[in-house]
């Protein structure tokens, strides 16, 4: 899989930002069923990102050269706050493949926590979207 990342970074604490990951199939036809598994890594903490509320997993077949994308939506945290995660990397896996993780450098600021001091990240991941023709 080829991986490209585009971001609409949140400019300030409390703002919502998005990170769109576009995948290009460079091999034989494959099927994606479910959601990408996404983790945010911050210092000595890893937190899993849940699917968007109300999102339904779809089945998608990609031929060689086919593309798809998914989006991580997050709320920017306040720098240095215990209510924020100082994320340095996002890692994702495709459904059914928990061993081949793809790492992305996170340069979009801290991510707010849902609760202070150890709460989950205020972030979600979309299902796979079709791209192109």
């Amino acid at each position: 899989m080829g991986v490209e990342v585009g971001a609409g970074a949140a400019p300030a604490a409390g703002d919502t930002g998005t990170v769109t990951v576009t995948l290009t199939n460079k091999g034989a036809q494959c099927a994606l069923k479910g959601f990408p598994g996404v983790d945010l890594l911050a210092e000595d903490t890893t937190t899993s990102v849940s699917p968007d509320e109300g999102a339904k997993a779809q089945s998608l077949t990609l031929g060689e050269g086919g593309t798809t994308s998914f989006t991580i939506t997050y709320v920017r945290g306040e720098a240095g706050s215990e209510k924020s995660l100082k994320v340095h990397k996002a890692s994702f896996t495709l459904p059914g493949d928990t061993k081949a993780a793809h790492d992305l450098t996170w340069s979009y600021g801290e991510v707010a926590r849902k609760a202070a001091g150890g709460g989950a990240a205020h972030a979600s991941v979309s299902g796979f979207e079709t791209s192109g023709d």
Side-chain angles (χ1 to χ4, degrees), residues 10 14 17 33 53 57-58 64 68 72 76 82 85-88 93 107 117 119 126:
K33 297 177 184 176
E53 192 174 309
Q58 297 182 47
E64 185 175 354
T68 187
I72 302 165
R76 183 150 180 184
E82 70 173 18
L85 284 165
K86 190 173 183 178
V87 175
H88 61 87
T93 56
S107 58
S126 72

Side-chain angles (χ1 to χ4, degrees), residues 7-23:
D15 291 341
T16 299
T18 59
V19 178
T20 300
V21 179
T22 301
L23 306 171

Side-chain angles (χ1 to χ4, degrees), residues 23-74:
L23 306 171
T24 302
N25 183 11
K26 294 189 176 203
Q29 180 173 301
C30 68
L32 299 172
K33 297 177 184 176
F35 291 92
V38 177
D39 291 325
L40 298 178
L41 292 81
E43 295 156 356
D44 61 352
T45 302
T46 299
T47 185
S48 293
V49 177
S50 299
D52 288 337
E53 192 174 309
K56 294 183 181 179
Q58 297 182 47
S59 181
L60 178 68
T61 301
L62 284 181
E64 185 175 354
T67 60
T68 187
S69 63
F70 65 89
T71 301
I72 302 165
T73 302
Y74 70 98

